[in-house]
Amino acid sequence: MKIIECNLPRNGNFTRRSKTDEVILHHAEASSATVWDINDWHLNNGWTGIGYHYYIRKDGSVYRGRPEWALGAHAVGHNDRSIGICCEGAYMTETMPAAQLASLKALLRDIMGRYGKLTLLRHKDVNSTDCPGKNFPWAEAQDYMNEEKEEHKVTQAEFEAMYNKVNPLYKTIDDVPGYWQQVVRVMLDCGAIDGGTDDNPDDVNMRHEALKAAIVAYRAAMHQ
Ligand SMILES: [Zn+2]
């Protein structure tokens, strides 16, 4: 589990939490905020530093907040028994990105693996608040033992490879399928298609579907 350590500024020393039997989930209630932003906000509250033990950004990066052993400042009446995890985002309205959910579940697996099974709660389960928001993926978070696969994003190169497979580009007449070569030769010679270049009479430079349409139109014209 990669945790980014960032030595956040603090105002004084943390005290040790007496026990750990809960994990409480929060959202930042901010669409975009760094762990340093949150730390500043909480220092401005007069606290020792960031109230949470972990902060997960939308891109899935996980930051250390206060030390895991420290008494937190994130859920009134439960700070002396819980680890607090905050997710960047405003999940009353937004939807959690797959990368962030995958990291949240990985972090929960990591924590539960070290402490044994702790009670997983949302902030609103213990205090009067909307946190972590009605769109927070609570069912998925509770299913943390099942690894979340990050959605596979198709790269430009992969997309082009797929597109070339379904609709290949014929650069010259030699690339054209045999069943079309005769008609394409005639079309090139009479100028019905020109391949975009004047110097090479064999240039086609058309994709399969466009060439098919041109052939259909050419044959229809010839039969009139
Ligand atoms: Zn909260």
Side-chain angles (χ1 to χ4, degrees):
M1 184 79 222
K2 167 135 181 57
I3 310 289
I4 301 168
E5 308 285 348
C6 30
N7 270 314
L8 297 167
R10 60 168 84 165
N11 183 17
N13 291 318
F14 295 116
T15 49
R16 191 167 285 275
R17 186 176 57 249
S18 58
K19 64 173 177 178
T20 306
D21 60 6
E22 294 175 347
V23 176
I24 299 180
L25 305 178
H26 304 262
H27 68 153
E29 222 177 330
S31 187
S32 174
T34 68
V35 71
W36 290 273
D37 292 331
I38 309 266
N39 195 58
D40 283 347
W41 300 343
H42 290 183
L43 283 171
N44 287 336
N45 288 348
W47 302 352
T48 310
I50 188 167
Y52 314 109
H53 300 92
Y54 294 99
Y55 185 63
I56 307 176
R57 295 212 65 182
K58 287 178 171 173
D59 66 4
S61 51
V62 182
Y63 295 82
R64 171 99 51 212
R66 4 187 114 188
E68 196 179 74
W69 51 261
L71 184 74
H74 58 93
V76 175
H78 289 257
N79 289 317
D80 58 352
R81 59 190 294 182
S82 64
I83 292 172
I85 301 173
C86 180
C87 295
E88 180 184 32
Y91 293 123
M92 282 304 281
T93 54
E94 296 179 317
T95 303
M96 184 176 285
Q100 191 177 26
L101 178 59
S103 289
L104 172 62
K105 292 174 71 169
L107 178 60
L108 290 171
R109 281 195 299 279
D110 176 74
I111 292 170
M112 304 295 184
R114 288 183 289 110
Y115 286 81
K117 194 164 165 40
L118 309 178
T119 305
L120 184 62
L121 297 161
R122 293 164 294 184
H123 190 188
K124 68 179 179 184
D125 295 324
V126 297
N127 292 154
S128 172
T129 171
D130 285 335
C131 181
K134 64 177 167 60
N135 292 349
F136 190 88
W138 177 227
E140 292 92 327
Q142 288 174 291
D143 192 33
Y144 58 84
M145 284 310 291
N146 283 323
E147 204 167 327
E148 194 79 17
K149 294 277 178 282
E150 264 194 66
E151 244 179 274
H152 177 71
K153 296 195 182 57
V154 176
T155 64
Q156 184 71 23
E158 286 173 320
F159 176 80
E160 277 171 14
M162 285 190 298
Y163 190 67
N164 280 325
K165 216 170 196 174
V166 296
N167 193 14
L169 176 67
Y170 304 131
K171 288 185 173 165
T172 72
I173 194 161
D174 292 331
D175 301 325
V176 171
Y179 51 85
W180 280 346
Q181 284 197 355
Q182 204 178 343
V183 65
V184 167
R185 178 80 270 159
V186 172
M187 290 167 75
L188 282 169
D189 291 345
C190 77
I193 55 175
D194 69 9
T197 53
D198 295 325
D199 47 0
N200 189 345
D202 288 339
D203 278 353
V204 176
N205 287 316
M206 291 176 83
R207 287 195 178 272
H208 182 91
E209 290 300 326
L211 184 60
K212 183 158 97 181
I215 290 169
V216 168
Y218 180 76
R219 283 178 174 157
M222 288 302 103
H223 283 96
Q224 272 175 5

